[in-house]
Amino acid sequence: MSIHPTAIVQTAAIGSNVTIGAYCVIGRDVTIGDGVTINPHVVINDGAAIGANSEIFSFSVIGKEPKAAGVMTRKVEFRRQVKIGRGCLVGPHATIYCDVEIGDATLVGDGASIREETVIGERCVISRYVTINYRSRIGSRTKVLDHSWICGEIDIGDDVMISGGVLTSNDNTLGRTDFNEQMRGPIIEDGAVIGIGARLLPNVRIGRKALVAAGAVVTKDVPAGVAVFGMPARPRENG
């Protein structure tokens, strides 16, 4: 085990062959598995568990407490825990909030932000500067590429491909009403493909292995196996 003398480490639950770099801050109730590398200037707050052979890159924050500053109408709820699976990579400047679970062998890219009450499966890619909002569910082997914005209250299945710059929404009132339980994001079923820059409106369902073309605006459900194009998105007719 190698702990830099400038690191502040308050936990004793540290496995073998762990490296903790300069100026890290590790809370009391933190568990670090065997073979983990924590690069300089990482903050890991109480309640986090880092699986074996994972690596956390510099200036990341694990277990950030969500706070509303008195301006949010949604009640912020969370458990003070984070679970990062075995063999994960968390890129520099990523922020993972409290009450997040990430499966084994998942990559969280540079500058990504993952909000509270979110579960992400195994072998996923959450790429650079992606935002995953509150109470999101993402299956295994799913990829969300650079600069995509994933709204709260969304369900994304296994083996989904979400290209760069995709935007999703859970609020048809455009913020004119207070948060309520009717605010739901899209449902994206297993194997669906969402093209670059597509927009998915609240409550739409993208069926299994459907395709949403680049730049399309989805305003209603897309059946399984169907490809849609345009604004608003419609199936393309033959000829």
Side-chain angles (χ1 to χ4, degrees), residues 172 199-206 216-222 230-234:
N172 267 324
R199 276 66 169 148
L200 310 183
L201 271 60
N203 289 302
V204 298
R205 180 182 292 269
I206 311 300
V217 177
V218 179
T219 61
K220 59 183 180 180
D221 293 352
V222 178
M231 298 185 290
R234 294 187 178 93

Side-chain angles (χ1 to χ4, degrees), residues 92-105:
H93 297 279
T95 302
I96 298 174
Y97 282 68
C98 292
D99 207 356
V100 169
E101 181 175 341
I102 298 174
D104 296 345

Side-chain angles (χ1 to χ4, degrees), residues 100-175:
V100 169
E101 181 175 341
I102 298 174
D104 296 345
T106 285
L107 168 64
V108 177
D110 307 358
S113 177
I114 303 174
R115 290 293 305 259
E116 67 276 7
E117 298 186 273
T118 288
V119 177
I120 298 172
E122 299 179 353
R123 307 189 70 83
C124 290
V125 174
I126 308 300
S127 197
R128 292 175 296 179
Y129 303 102
V130 167
T131 296
I132 307 291
N133 268 281
Y134 61 93
R135 290 203 288 269
S136 294
R137 297 291 181 269
I138 298 176
S140 294
R141 302 173 303 280
T142 284
K143 296 178 175 63
V144 184
L145 298 190
D146 297 8
H147 298 281
S148 289
W149 193 85
I150 304 303
C151 67
E153 303 281 4
I154 195 170
D155 289 295
I156 301 173
D158 298 335
D159 303 300
V160 170
M161 172 66 176
I162 297 177
S163 300
V166 169
L167 300 178
T168 60
S169 176
N170 62 9
D171 180 8
N172 267 324
T173 73
L174 302 179

